[in-house]
Amino acid sequence: MSVGTRAVPTGAATGTYREALREAMRDALRRDDRVFLMGEDVGAYGGAFAVSLGLLEEFGPDRIRDTPLSESAFVGAGIGAALGGMRPIVEIMTVNFSLLALDQLLNNAATLLHMSGGQYNVPLVVRMTTGAGRQLAAQHSHSLEGWYAHIPGLRILAPATIDDARGMLWPALEDPDPVLIFEHGSLYNVSGALSDPPAEVDICHAAIRRPGADLTLVTYGGTLPLTLDAAQLLAAEGCDAEVVDLRVLRPLDTATFLESVRRTHRAVVIDEGWRSGSLAAEVSARLMEEAFDDLDAPVGRVCSAEVPMPYARHMEQAALPSADKVAEAARRVLAGG
Amino acid sequence: MPASPVSRVAATGDLRIVGQAGSEALVQLLTPEGERVDHPDYVVDAPAERLQSLYRDMVLARRVDEEGTALQRQGQLGLWASLRGQEAAQVGSARALMADDMAFPTYREHAVVLCRGVDAVQIMAIFRGLTHGGWDPHRFGLAPYSIVIGSQALHAVGYALGVQRDAARARGPARPAGQTTGSPVAVAYFGDGAASQGEVNEAFVWAGVYNAPVVFFCQNNQWAISQPAERQTRVPLYRRADGFGFPGVRVDGNDVLAVLAVTLSALQRARDGGGPTLIEAFTYRIGAHTTADDATRYRSLAEVETWKLKDPLERVKAFLHRKQLADPAFFEQVGAESDALAARLRRKCLGMADPPALAMFDHVYAGEHPPLRRQRAHLAAYLDSSPDPGEVPR
């Protein structure tokens, strides 16, 4: 079951999440001459996940730039180009490799505005693949967007739908601050309706993906499809679950999930990151701080097992959140209080 | 580049050779004794006015540095990073820049900041804790001080790539690449310690493969806090450029004329589409790493005294005297200007009001960010309710 197959607007074409991301880049490259893409294998190869396939042919090597294998260099050079007035899109192959560029991301992109006394903002967009589920083992499967959401100075986006994949890039490029976009690897092949003309999306608010009255399931990114599946399972049992897609991981749109939980009085947070110190912990803390009296049961959490991501398929699946695990957690929360 | 002798490091096993001037080709136009010497590759026009102007820049930079150290010792600044000994390297390179070139300095490049036209008071404001930065990078062609060692080298390369693209467009398809464009160049300042950083080496890779209009200006001041230059490299730093595919040159970093000539040459090469150059300005950090450091713990006073004999200001002064290119009135005037600058700096610095505590929330985002707005309001309310509101300015 895929996200995009729900609520297909009439007259819309279908496409994949990958194609939506590509269209977004194509559109941005056409609209603004300052926009260019750089990263490893983004040119002739078309990107490690084929997101930029065909862009080199259309825009040339000047704007679709294959780079040396040096993450801190292409993030750092992206910062320099942004300072000089360009609007770079930097592709990092996976979130794991972004760790090689942490100095540039945290110490530089996120702080140069502050360190220049407000003189120097960094309009940089960095895209990267995140998440597990594809048997890529313990060094290519992290979900570290929660780490990045910890950092003031950045905006963190996690498109989970076709429309968000298509629509988040342009407002991210218009944002005067550095924006990191996390594309979950399991979503690239998801197909669904692509609004035509493209839907206007904001990069400020969470979205309710499924309205419901009995329980709120809060999630984002790669775990949205399985959370929607869990809602279906629960519906068969007579529980009407609401699904909130955070979409923007920093700044978190607290109001949307608070409003939901004030109606449903119960919540489960689903996050593919490791549980300790996770985004799920942050959402839970905010619910406790601001909706304590509205809660009829303790907040539930479904996260990944705190182990290096297994390679073997059955072990990896066991380590990750699943629709069944979410449904099970929801049943516990419904039984509690 | 002049051919350099084969490294004797491996042959002798004596790492100190890397740190000794004279064992490698060193571009010099003015000896420590103030004698003009010629160099086959680097010629610079140095009329009296230019020499006087360079000398004045160095005197004023040294005075700002002395005041910075004194103000820190008196508790008026949190910290100071002294440039003493590196005046020629900084002034010579900065005076080679055009207005629209872009310099990416570190926290020690006070003379570069002054040469770019920024008021020294702004440097004091940073070290006093009023702001993390403050000058307009585009107006002055000067990025903020980089505090993280080496990260700015990549920003310079990225900036240079943008410049390169702009220049290619302005040139149009009809004019071949490599033709003089007069377009801006990015200059990355860093030190011998930063030369060991991955980011600097990645910047070298990038600048090389993209033929970026960037000049890497490495001030080898012999010490990275307590680590001597031979702890960073087995070959002279300038020769690393070879492996990255662009020229490297070692210049006497205490010779302002030679630094000017070498930097002008590297800038022209970049403007002409010739790509990057690594300049190793061989100099010495006369002071400690910062006011938080005690250099006597790890290096000998004899070494420092040896380098004081190569003082960058004295050799220009000696030359101006000997050739009668400046009269006593000139030196008196520069001295008076220096005194006036010092007095003004002290007055301004002591008069700086502490910024309000809530200013910490400024400039975290250029755009709107609701969590910070809430946290700011929360702290403001807390400060308003504080029993001693006079203690923390809002």
Side-chain angles (χ1 to χ4, degrees):
Chain A
M1 196 173 302
S2 68
V3 186
T5 51
R6 296 160 206 284
V8 179
T10 47
T14 58
T16 62
Y17 181 90
R18 171 184 291 109
E19 287 162 353
L21 292 166
R22 186 185 304 142
E23 269 316 298
M25 286 201 284
R26 178 175 282 131
D27 180 45
L29 286 156
R30 283 178 181 161
R31 279 165 87 163
D32 189 339
D33 184 48
R34 300 171 302 170
V35 173
F36 68 101
L37 170 71
M38 64 176 162
E40 292 164 9
D41 303 317
V42 299
Y45 191 76
F49 296 93
V51 175
S52 56
L53 206 63
L55 296 183
L56 174 68
E57 290 73 12
E58 183 171 349
F59 297 100
D62 190 36
R63 300 186 70 196
I64 308 297
R65 304 180 78 112
D66 278 321
T67 67
L69 266 72
S70 45
E71 279 74 12
S72 60
F74 50 76
V75 175
I79 292 169
L83 295 177
M86 302 294 284
R87 291 294 180 272
I89 304 170
V90 170
E91 177 176 309
I92 301 178
M93 210 177 273
T94 79
V95 65
N96 308 82
F97 308 159
S98 76
L99 304 182
L100 294 159
L102 264 183
D103 175 53
Q104 292 297 335
L105 289 166
L106 201 169
N107 289 329
N108 288 281
T111 56
L112 272 176
L113 178 69
H114 202 70
M115 294 301 287
S116 68
Q119 298 283 354
Y120 225 24
N121 61 306
V122 184
L124 169 75
V125 172
V126 180
R127 298 174 34 244
M128 64 185 101
T129 303
T130 186
R134 294 159 295 141
Q135 283 197 272
L136 294 175
Q139 293 165 324
H140 291 66
S141 303
H142 290 123
S143 289
L144 299 180
E145 52 277 5
W147 280 14
Y148 287 104
H150 185 62
I151 301 170
L154 302 179
R155 181 182 293 274
I156 308 298
L157 306 179
T161 66
I162 306 281
D163 276 345
D164 276 358
R166 174 67 181 82
M168 279 184 158
L169 181 67
W170 183 252
L173 285 164
E174 286 189 311
D175 193 308
D177 295 307
V179 180
L180 273 52
I181 302 179
F182 288 88
E183 302 161 3
H184 197 285
S186 69
L187 296 175
Y188 285 124
N189 289 329
V190 168
S191 65
L194 193 54
S195 306
D196 185 26
E200 288 277 320
V201 310
D202 74 67
I203 52 171
C204 300
H205 296 100
I208 294 174
R209 299 298 184 195
R210 182 189 196 282
D214 300 334
L215 168 79
T216 300
L217 303 174
V218 182
T219 190
Y220 69 91
T223 44
L224 176 62
L226 67 90
T227 301
L228 289 165
D229 292 348
Q232 295 283 78
L233 293 175
L234 292 166
E237 300 166 19
C239 166
D240 185 19
E242 179 149 302
V243 176
V244 175
D245 173 8
L246 292 172
R247 298 177 70 249
V248 183
L249 308 186
R250 183 179 187 95
L252 267 183
D253 172 16
T254 311
T256 296
F257 65 78
L258 266 183
E259 185 277 330
S260 173
V261 172
R262 284 187 178 130
R263 277 189 283 105
T264 65
H265 308 294
R266 295 171 199 268
V268 175
V269 191
I270 302 97
D271 175 1
E272 194 179 299
W274 291 306
R275 178 187 300 259
S276 300
S278 61
L279 263 174
E282 178 64 27
V283 172
S284 303
R286 291 189 190 198
L287 288 170
M288 189 273 290
E289 285 169 346
E290 302 192 43
F292 187 76
D293 292 333
D294 294 293
L295 286 168
D296 285 347
V299 174
R301 281 195 284 164
V302 179
C303 301
S304 286
E306 297 199 11
V307 297
M309 193 53 67
Y311 178 44
R313 181 161 183 79
H314 69 290
M315 289 169 71
E316 183 182 35
Q317 290 304 315
L320 291 169
S322 66
D324 281 338
K325 287 178 185 171
V326 174
E328 176 55 31
R331 288 181 203 112
R332 278 200 307 274
V333 168
L334 287 162
Chain B
M1 290 306 115
S4 53
V6 174
S7 170
R8 288 168 8 217
V9 171
T12 63
D14 180 2
L15 293 177
R16 289 299 300 183
I17 285 172
V18 171
Q20 288 172 0
S23 66
E24 289 289 334
L26 184 78
V27 178
Q28 193 177 66
L29 297 176
L30 197 58
T31 68
E33 294 73 33
E35 301 285 350
R36 275 289 263 123
V37 288
D38 289 330
H39 191 282
D41 300 322
Y42 297 100
V43 180
V44 67
D45 186 28
E49 304 77 51
R50 185 172 220 173
L51 284 167
Q52 287 180 10
S53 173
L54 293 168
Y55 177 75
R56 174 181 168 275
D57 285 340
M58 292 196 291
V59 168
L60 297 182
R62 178 166 290 184
R63 190 56 181 266
V64 167
D65 188 61
E66 286 169 351
E67 288 306 312
T69 299
L71 285 164
Q72 195 282 333
R73 291 297 183 228
Q74 292 158 21
Q76 297 297 330
L77 303 179
L79 186 80
W80 184 256
S82 171
L83 63 71
R84 195 177 184 90
Q86 299 175 227
E87 294 89 347
Q90 296 187 15
V91 168
S93 57
R95 284 303 182 199
L97 300 178
M98 306 283 278
D100 58 358
D101 291 331
M102 190 73 177
F104 291 78
T106 83
Y107 49 80
R108 203 185 298 285
E109 264 73 79
H110 315 311
V112 175
V113 175
L114 299 177
C115 288
R116 296 305 274 165
V118 175
D119 190 335
V121 173
Q122 292 217 35
I123 307 175
M124 298 297 163
I126 294 172
F127 284 90
R128 195 173 160 90
L130 270 75
T131 171
H132 276 118
W135 55 77
D136 179 341
H138 296 295
R139 178 181 160 205
F140 293 103
L142 183 72
Y145 277 156
S146 180
I147 313 295
V148 178
I149 303 293
S151 58
Q152 76 283 5
L154 288 167
H155 305 160
V157 171
Y159 190 92
L161 292 179
V163 165
Q164 188 178 45
R165 185 160 174 266
D166 289 346
R169 300 190 155 206
R171 199 166 51 232
R175 295 173 63 187
Q179 196 167 331
T180 302
T181 61
S183 64
V185 178
V187 179
Y189 283 91
F190 57 95
D192 41 296
S196 296
Q197 288 285 349
E199 288 174 309
V200 169
N201 287 276
E202 291 187 29
F204 289 168
V205 170
W206 270 56
V209 299
Y210 289 122
N211 202 42
V214 61
V215 172
F216 296 109
F217 193 86
C218 175
Q219 291 170 82
N220 178 356
N221 69 10
Q222 313 303 328
W223 291 95
I225 307 188
S226 70
Q227 297 301 307
E230 63 263 27
R231 186 67 60 216
Q232 314 294 344
T233 185
R234 278 194 76 159
V235 299
L237 287 173
Y238 77 95
R239 281 174 43 199
R240 285 202 188 160
D242 238 14
F244 294 97
F246 50 86
V249 56
R250 177 181 275 185
V251 61
D252 181 346
N254 288 15
D255 174 354
V256 71
L257 271 188
V259 172
L260 179 70
V262 164
T263 312
L264 281 169
S265 168
L267 289 167
Q268 193 57 49
R269 181 186 164 85
R271 286 189 224 290
D272 291 350
T277 301
L278 169 62
I279 297 172
E280 178 190 5
F282 205 76
T283 182
Y284 195 77
R285 194 193 78 204
I286 294 290
H289 169 64
T290 65
T291 47
D293 171 38
D294 172 10
T296 63
R297 289 166 58 196
Y298 51 80
R299 68 182 189 186
S300 74
L301 288 174
E303 179 183 295
V304 180
E305 290 306 312
T306 305
W307 275 94
K308 281 184 179 171
L309 297 175
K310 302 173 187 174
D311 187 80
L313 279 67
E314 286 305 317
R315 67 180 75 183
V316 180
K317 190 176 187 180
F319 182 71
L320 287 170
H321 263 309
R322 186 173 309 119
K323 297 289 180 184
Q324 298 184 326
L325 295 171
D327 55 20
F330 166 74
F331 293 104
E332 279 168 30
Q333 182 204 320
V334 171
E337 198 180 344
S338 166
D339 290 343
L341 172 62
R344 181 169 152 274
L345 266 183
R346 299 186 62 76
R347 193 177 66 248
K348 291 274 189 186
C349 188
L350 298 179
M352 286 174 185
D354 287 342
L358 293 176
M360 74 173 81
F361 292 103
D362 295 345
H363 314 314
V364 181
Y365 287 90
E368 175 66 358
H369 199 77
L372 288 190
R373 197 177 51 217
R374 286 194 295 273
Q375 288 173 28
R376 184 190 178 106
H378 183 82
L379 181 61
Y382 170 78
L383 292 174
D384 280 339
S385 67
S386 161
D388 184 9
E391 204 168 294
V392 185
R394 294 203 172 46

